[in-house]
Amino acid sequence: MNAAMPVLWFFTTITLFALADLLHRRTGGKAWAHPTLMPTLVLILVFTYTDFDFTHYQIGTRIFDLLLGGAVAALAVPLFRSRKVLATEKQAVFAATAVGSLMGVGSALCIAFLLRSPADMVASVATKSITTPIAVVVAPSIGGVPGLAAAVVIVTGLVVAIFGPPFLKMLGIEDDVEKGVALGTAGHAIGMAEAVRRSELMGAAAAFSMASNGLVTALLLPIIWPQ
């Protein structure tokens, strides 16, 4: 293995994100220029139409997995700072998270059943609104495919991060806690990252909702899933 390739992919990923973020800012936050979407599409095209070894990319970008875990843990800081605000709306936050969790699983299952999808695909899409590390563990326990579950989760997060904020604005929702709960519950880590970009309070609400939704779904889905 060429030792330089993993390092090259590390810097390529950072460069793509930096350029996409610059484009996103220059275009006034247009959905099509989202800093997560653009690098993802570019990398998909690269690995689809070239002979580059994806293993090199996985090795070179493994550090991002570690940093992601640290970043999620660090969200305890804005969550702690915003605890009083969240506490004043705790009933609404818990209710919204619970309904969002049910809708996240239910909407995916309805579409999968209507399309008469195979059982393993149905089980995989059921995990679409919980964060990737949890989804790849839960999916096999209910008969799903970890790789497919991860792909569905990532696509779901991208859709929520890109279209969620303008959709909430169209509905007239302006409160940061409400928007954070929606983005965190429906869009897990990617939706939460978008919330953090917008405000600390929104990020705190999203972090709480993402964690709650992921925990509840991970515990209950294997129990209630028909074997």
Side-chain angles (χ1 to χ4, degrees):
M1 182 181 71
N2 187 343
M5 288 305 296
V7 178
L8 178 62
W9 285 122
F10 171 79
F11 287 107
T12 298
T13 303
I14 293 177
T15 302
L16 285 174
F17 181 83
L19 292 174
D21 187 58
L22 178 62
L23 179 62
H24 189 244
R25 295 173 186 271
R26 292 286 179 86
T27 58
K30 297 295 184 182
W32 57 266
H34 194 276
T36 303
L37 175 64
M38 297 298 285
T40 301
L41 293 178
V42 170
L43 290 169
I44 288 175
L45 291 173
V46 168
F47 287 108
T48 300
Y49 295 105
T50 68
D51 295 327
F52 286 118
D53 189 348
F54 186 66
T55 303
H56 293 166
Y57 182 83
Q58 290 179 303
I59 295 173
T61 58
R62 191 172 295 161
I63 183 64
F64 295 134
D65 293 333
L66 299 175
L67 293 175
L68 177 61
V72 173
L75 286 170
V77 176
L79 191 61
F80 177 77
R81 290 176 178 172
S82 307
R83 67 191 185 284
K84 293 182 179 179
V85 177
L86 294 176
T88 60
E89 302 184 45
K90 59 184 177 181
Q91 292 182 336
V93 170
F94 278 111
T97 302
V99 172
S101 179
L102 291 173
M103 290 299 295
V105 176
S107 60
L109 293 182
C110 285
I111 295 173
F113 283 131
L114 288 174
L115 295 176
R116 298 181 180 179
S117 302
D120 57 347
M121 184 175 291
V122 174
S124 299
V125 300
T127 63
K128 76 176 183 66
S129 290
I130 55 178
T131 189
T132 306
I134 300 178
V136 297
V137 174
V138 174
S141 69
I142 59 174
V145 181
L148 179 58
V152 172
V153 168
I154 292 171
V155 171
T156 300
L158 285 171
V159 171
V160 171
I162 294 169
F163 300 106
F167 180 70
L168 293 172
K169 184 177 181 180
M170 183 181 69
L171 294 178
I173 298 175
E174 299 294 341
D175 183 75
D176 277 0
V177 173
E178 295 174 357
K179 289 190 284 189
V181 169
L183 293 175
T185 303
H188 44 81
I190 300 178
M192 179 195 66
E194 180 62 22
V196 171
R197 283 166 53 87
R198 293 173 177 268
S199 81
E200 184 175 284
L201 178 57
M202 194 186 304
F208 175 82
S209 300
M210 181 195 72
S212 301
N213 179 40
L215 180 62
V216 171
T217 305
L219 291 175
L220 294 183
L221 200 56
I223 296 175
I224 65 176
W225 193 263
Q227 300 297 325

